[in-house]
Amino acid sequence: MTDPSTIERHSYDVLVVGAGGAGLRAAIAARDAGARVAVICKSLLGKAHTVMAEGGAAAAMGNVYSEDSWQVHFRDTMRGGKMLNHWRMAQLHAQEAPDRIHELEEWGALFDRTPDGLISQRDFGGHRYARLAHVGDRTGLELIRTLQQRTVALGIDVYMECTVTRLLQSDGRIAGAFGYWRESGRFIVFEAPTVVLATGGIGKSYKVTSNSWEYTGDGHALALQAGASLVNMEFVQFHPTGMVWPPSVKGILVTESVRGDGGVLRNSEGKRFMFDYIPEFFKAETADSEEEADRWYKDKTNNRRPPELLPRDEVARAINSEVKAGRGSPHGGVFLDIASRHPAEYIQRRLPSMYHQFKELADVDITAEAMEVGPTCHYVMGGVAVEPDTAESAVPGLYAAGEVAGGMHGANRLGGNSLSDLLVFGRRAGTAAAEAAASVTERAAVSDDDIRTAAEDALAPFEREGGENAYSVQQDLQDVMHNLVGIIRSADEMQKALEELDRLRQRTAQLSVEGHRQYNPGWHLALDLSNMLLVSECIAKAALERTESRGGHTRDDFPATDDTWATVNLHCSLDESEQAVSIQREPLPSMPDDLRDLFEEK
């Protein structure tokens, strides 16, 4: 039995779990508010998934189109999310994003410029105006570099290659966190009255994903187990364009910037098929001919947007339909063509990462030939339900920001909104957490019994012999989610998925690990699997409950959007026995009249 007195301990005011853009921005804000702050990251500092957000950060700065404003950005975000977004989160995001971008520039971020020296902004799907501040197609990398440099300069403590397995509580509020060093396997306890979750997404539950190994739904599961609820978990975004060939790189992201800079989608017949998939909801603002679509790039005032720049859910479904109809590329995708649209110099200057990615990984020269692309699990709109202004969950002292938080994006996220989202709400979460920590007069003690239980649970796989292999269980989980809870869903498939998840849960309870605690990837995955299963159950149950198609959720058996679901969000929570996920229907918060009036405009 583990003796709690022998475990490494640290005490802070604010503990940030995750070192991506949201986590680092939260840590900086908390430090600026006077708190003692620590950041824990599962991997290495600088390797966060924020770097995958390549195209830019959406902010209505008006540098390219002076007509842009936070009101237009708010409207685009709500429409992209099919009106299920929390209106207050979308409002704060649209209002504050420009300040957060200027702040990054003050801290040393080097953005591309317009001819008159302003921060350049590019077009992206679902945004009426060019509003993505960018650094070539490496924007997320520059954002992380800038925030990381700021974090180090402020002297914030960072615990790298350290994983949190449980949040510790006392009398219903946060008291700290329990985790382990990945290299040595030794346990570590953090005592803190506030915790900010910034752990990212859930993509490794799916077979084809742009997400890296860290994305196992840790923050979602930690919040559920602590008593918070998750909202909008049925809405999983399949980015329309991931690599499909060769197999070793399947799912790696192909940035939306390719389409924003003029790239077009073609099927095996060479047809620009997106004109066949313009939904009624977006017809008024989408070009219905190639001629108008091409004119739009030079004259956005008098022409409508190309259908390739519809929101991601629409484009992903269209690609899926073309492939199913037998008009796909040789390797099961479609063709993304920018080579015939721009000179090689332009492509290499605007899309340097994409040029090198395809050249090195697929032996494809995107300046001379089309890319093969297809949908890839990219982002979960669902996450911890939080109060918009403070990012606090229903659990006192627990905050969430970035992809692990829900509500901001509704049923579908617009490209470019993720980077500005994590800046806006990372800052708000860090500030609110620091203020809450300062107001705590007497800190709750971490229970030795809770520490022993957390340690025993973590070590359980070593106690079993001849049990299940974690890698086999994960592979079966990915197959279940890919085949039964993917882009197109039906009740029969999701019922089967839930039955399979139940069997996988039983297998997970029998996982065994060989070897020692020193850097043992099999053990790490064994601990991650319970999180992945819990989050997968939330996705499947919420998707089964929502009997309509909307945003990132498409039902084959309910293909239409149902107005009765237009004012309902689904919340997932753990029942008292903590053995199963329950679903609750919650009404959407009522939007003020002045904001609702924005949607009367055409």
Side-chain angles (χ1 to χ4, degrees), residues 80-95:
K82 306 301 188 285
M83 304 302 289
L84 287 189
N85 326 54
H86 194 305
W87 66 266
R88 178 61 175 163
M89 294 183 81
Q91 179 191 29
L92 287 171
H93 169 256
Q95 288 175 334

Side-chain angles (χ1 to χ4, degrees), residues 281-301:
F281 193 67
F282 292 105
K283 271 190 175 172
E285 56 202 57
T286 306
D288 54 14
S289 70
E290 290 192 31
E291 293 75 21
E292 182 182 8
D294 288 346
R295 288 196 304 267
W296 176 86
Y297 287 98
K298 292 184 178 176
D299 179 7
K300 295 180 172 62
T301 304

Side-chain angles (χ1 to χ4, degrees), residues 480 484-485 492-502 540:
V480 166
L484 302 177
V485 200
D492 290 346
E493 289 179 340
M494 288 185 291
Q495 290 281 15
K496 184 179 179 184
L498 288 168
E499 293 168 9
E500 293 294 330
L501 290 173
D502 191 50

Side-chain angles (χ1 to χ4, degrees), residues 12-14 170 173-175 192-195 392 396-399 432-445:
Y12 291 94
D13 301 321
V14 177
S170 179
R173 70 160 295 121
I174 291 296
T194 61
V195 170
E392 188 173 20
L398 181 62
Y399 302 77
E435 291 173 353
S439 70
V440 174
T441 53
E442 187 174 342
R443 297 196 177 187

